[in-house]
Amino acid sequence: MFFKRKIYDKLLEWKNETKGTKAILIEGARRIGKSTIAQAFAKNEYESYLLIDFAKKDKEVESYFEKYLNDLDTLFMMLQVHYGIRLKPRQSVVIFDEVQMFPQARAAIKYLVADGRYDYIETGSLISIKENVKDIVIPSEERHISMYPFDFEEFCWALGEEVMIDYIKHCFESKQALEESLHRKAMMIFKQYMLVGGMPMPVVKFVENNKSFYEADQEKRDILRLYREDIMKINARYRGKVLAIFDQIPGLLSQHEKRVVFKTIQGESRAEEYQETFFWLADSMICNECFLCSDPNVGLSINEVRSYVKCYMGDTGLLVSHAFDENELLEEEVYKQILLDKLSMNKGMLYENVIAQMLVINHHKLYFYTHYNDEKHRNDMEIDFLLSSNRKLKYKLYPIEVKSGKRYTTTSLLRFKEKYQDRIGACFIIHPKNLMIKDDIFCIPPYMTFLL
């Protein structure tokens, strides 16, 4: 089963713009659907395609690249004969699947693109790509594109809810609340998205099995096991720290502040000892980092404090499965209890994680803000997320507070708004209630986050 993905249009844009002058490398976490989208695109947009899966470690195919890179006529002839595929100049594409398993093929892109006969799509898990480039020259004839889990809109497409998405977009643009029964329906779909997540196979199982959470949970646990196996293969120097952070993500997010307190992880640890750890987790796209911004302004990264970090799971559906015993599949009834808010579970953890996920998919880098009051000996301002200017948000600051319950206070946001009023474009509260504007704050339901 193949679902519509937004990355398809970006691949089409690459094909039409570059016309063979650049290859494209699809980067992303394991099991994100890179191979599936590459093959679907090749099948639909070219007369023929040749798929080379380097994970299969076909020594004969690898030898072709070693022997014939200076004789491309022979290289292409051998590849076509080996795979039984006829390639047509400027009408065919060659896919290098799991290219990190054979870095020499990636290095060859420079010469293959210069030859100009065919287009080239590469796929690979991000961290593995970066760990396997020590002995090759990175080709400049390569464009990169990141692939993420399904966003909420893509999830709705998979469920056949295109009309609902159009209605949500209309209400957001016109700043109108949804009709109440449709708001409740949209919230139910959002909760399904939060519990299933956006990894392709869990979504497929959810749709194919009449919205069975149990079938989706099995797939999610397979992915979590795969991630743990990946962690066990990395450099022993920081393997233990990566595993410690990965295992503690649900616990860290269940705390009030949600940020990582390093000394509680392992003895008297310090933030700088975990730099490689967070680099690996973020670059593998297993997790999304969120750093403190000490002086909120348009250039958030200028005042980034890396010793204060929150670590969100890249996919909230995986977080749900990760939060429970790894060896215990969650029963259908447990998921339904969570869905109906009848199970005692930290909803704030899930809500904040899924909002982080939706913002990252929308190409926002994550920052938060906190202010410690010396007189009161506590934080008197805590802002969950800060967005800065991008193509949609013009040269202003956009603070976001995430509320999982219908009753909440806005003290921190109002104080922040008063302190930095000249820098702020708009303030947002993301809450389970319908859209409303209160105290000049734009309060939106979580299913509208993909529009920010």
Side-chain angles (χ1 to χ4, degrees):
M1 181 179 288
F2 177 75
F3 292 123
K4 180 181 176 184
R5 301 296 305 272
K6 294 178 181 179
I7 196 173
Y8 192 101
D9 290 338
K10 294 181 180 179
L11 290 171
L12 198 58
E13 185 179 300
W14 155 77
K15 179 178 185 286
N16 294 333
E17 280 185 4
T18 64
K19 301 186 185 301
T21 59
K22 280 185 180 290
I24 193 158
L25 172 61
I26 305 174
E27 304 172 321
R30 297 282 297 275
R31 303 291 296 274
I32 205 73
K34 300 181 294 294
S35 303
T36 301
I37 195 70
Q39 290 184 69
F41 183 77
K43 183 178 180 180
N44 293 340
E45 306 299 334
Y46 293 88
E47 290 194 22
S48 66
Y49 71 94
L50 194 156
L51 171 68
I52 304 175
D53 184 356
F54 288 110
K56 293 181 177 179
K57 304 302 289 182
D58 188 326
K59 295 299 181 184
E60 188 174 346
V61 171
E62 290 179 3
S63 72
Y64 297 159
F65 286 89
E66 293 163 353
K67 293 177 184 176
Y68 305 119
L69 197 54
N70 292 323
D71 181 4
L72 294 182
D73 290 340
T74 302
L75 173 65
F76 292 133
M77 180 183 69
M78 299 300 286
L79 289 173
Q80 289 177 86
V81 171
H82 183 88
Y83 288 100
I85 299 291
R86 184 184 296 277
L87 296 174
K88 301 178 182 180
R90 301 307 322 136
Q91 297 174 45
S92 298
V93 62
V94 180
I95 302 172
F96 289 171
D97 201 17
E98 301 292 352
V99 72
Q100 78 277 3
M101 303 298 291
F102 188 62
Q104 293 92 322
R106 189 178 175 203
I109 285 293
K110 176 182 178 67
Y111 309 103
L112 299 174
V113 168
D115 173 72
R117 263 176 269 195
Y118 314 115
D119 286 353
Y120 297 90
I121 298 175
E122 305 163 87
T123 77
S125 299
L126 191 55
I127 193 69
S128 299
I129 290 173
K130 294 192 175 183
E131 288 183 345
N132 287 280
V133 295
K134 296 185 180 92
D135 301 319
I136 70 167
V137 176
I138 305 298
S140 59
E141 300 78 9
E142 187 181 76
R143 180 173 291 180
H144 293 223
I145 185 172
S146 295
M147 190 169 186
Y148 298 97
F150 284 51
D151 72 1
F152 179 70
E153 184 173 14
E154 290 171 325
F155 185 79
C156 285
W157 292 344
L159 268 56
E161 295 286 355
E162 292 91 346
V163 177
M164 172 62 81
I165 280 293
D166 290 341
Y167 179 53
I168 290 171
K169 287 180 178 178
H170 167 75
C171 290
F172 180 82
E173 289 165 5
S174 59
K175 294 182 173 59
Q176 295 177 358
L178 277 70
E179 193 278 326
E180 195 56 36
S181 65
L182 293 177
H183 165 69
R184 290 194 296 271
K185 179 181 178 180
M187 279 301 300
M188 183 59 68
I189 297 171
F190 170 77
K191 289 180 181 179
Q192 291 172 353
Y193 172 65
M194 186 168 63
L195 296 178
V196 175
M199 301 299 282
M201 282 310 298
V203 175
V204 167
K205 293 297 182 182
F206 184 68
V207 174
E208 284 183 343
N209 292 280
N210 298 313
K211 298 185 177 179
S212 166
F213 290 107
Y214 182 78
E215 299 291 339
D217 193 67
Q218 287 183 310
E219 289 294 331
K220 289 189 289 174
R221 291 182 185 278
D222 287 344
I223 296 170
L224 288 169
R225 278 190 289 271
L226 186 66
Y227 286 174
R228 286 184 66 87
E229 289 169 7
D230 284 346
I231 291 171
M232 298 310 294
K233 295 174 186 174
I234 65 177
N235 192 310
R237 187 176 70 253
Y238 55 95
R239 182 190 303 147
K241 290 186 176 73
V242 172
L243 196 58
I245 294 292
F246 178 74
D247 285 343
Q248 292 187 48
I249 288 172
L252 293 168
L253 292 177
S254 66
Q255 300 170 9
H256 171 68
E257 288 191 356
K258 297 181 175 61
R259 72 176 180 87
V260 179
V261 180
F262 294 96
K263 65 181 180 181
T264 64
I265 296 170
Q266 193 173 14
E268 291 298 316
S269 300
R270 298 185 304 274
E272 55 267 25
E273 295 174 19
Y274 282 81
Q275 286 180 348
E276 288 179 317
T277 299
F278 286 104
F279 168 82
W280 194 93
L281 287 168
D283 262 34
S284 64
M285 297 174 78
I286 291 175
C287 296
N288 293 320
E289 298 172 308
C290 181
F291 294 110
L292 173 69
C293 179
S294 59
D295 182 20
N297 215 325
V298 172
L300 291 170
S301 60
I302 298 172
N303 298 297
E304 177 182 289
V305 182
R306 285 186 163 255
S307 56
Y308 288 79
V309 59
K310 297 180 186 179
C311 188
Y312 299 101
M313 282 289 286
D315 180 77
T316 310
L318 294 181
L319 174 63
V320 173
S321 297
H322 192 25
F324 289 83
D325 186 344
E326 279 195 26
N327 299 315
E328 293 291 334
L329 285 170
L330 288 185
E331 297 292 339
E332 189 79 20
E333 186 61 30
V334 175
Y335 270 102
K336 288 180 180 176
Q337 292 292 317
I338 300 172
L339 192 70
L340 298 172
D341 298 328
K342 293 182 179 179
L343 189 71
S344 178
M345 187 178 182
N346 189 332
K347 286 192 302 179
M349 170 181 76
L350 299 182
Y351 266 70
E352 195 166 319
N353 198 93
V354 75
I355 298 307
Q357 175 182 337
M358 295 167 85
L359 292 174
V360 168
I361 292 173
N362 227 15
H363 307 290
H364 293 291
K365 192 173 179 181
L366 301 180
Y367 293 96
F368 71 98
Y369 176 77
T370 184
H371 177 267
Y372 187 80
N373 188 310
D374 292 319
E375 293 180 4
K376 297 179 180 179
H377 303 291
R378 63 177 175 83
N379 291 333
D380 62 354
M381 266 192 280
E382 296 177 10
I383 304 300
D384 295 320
F385 299 108
L386 294 173
L387 304 187
S388 186
S389 61
N390 68 355
R391 58 188 173 83
K392 295 180 182 178
L393 311 175
K394 306 215 184 265
Y395 306 108
K396 286 287 186 178
L397 201 60
Y398 296 79
I400 296 174
E401 278 276 79
V402 180
K403 307 293 184 182
S404 59
K406 293 184 178 180
R407 292 184 178 182
Y408 55 81
T409 62
T410 60
T411 308
S412 280
L413 191 56
L414 290 173
R415 283 177 180 163
F416 185 88
K417 183 169 176 280
E418 182 180 357
K419 184 174 182 178
Y420 297 108
Q421 55 184 326
D422 294 338
R423 305 178 186 181
I424 293 174
C427 295
F428 291 92
I429 287 177
I430 297 175
H431 63 184
K433 296 190 283 188
N434 214 327
L435 184 150
M436 65 178 75
I437 298 174
K438 181 181 179 183
D439 298 324
D440 204 27
I441 296 172
F442 198 21
C443 306
I444 62 172
Y447 51 76
M448 287 184 172
T449 304
F450 79 97
L451 295 166
L452 294 178

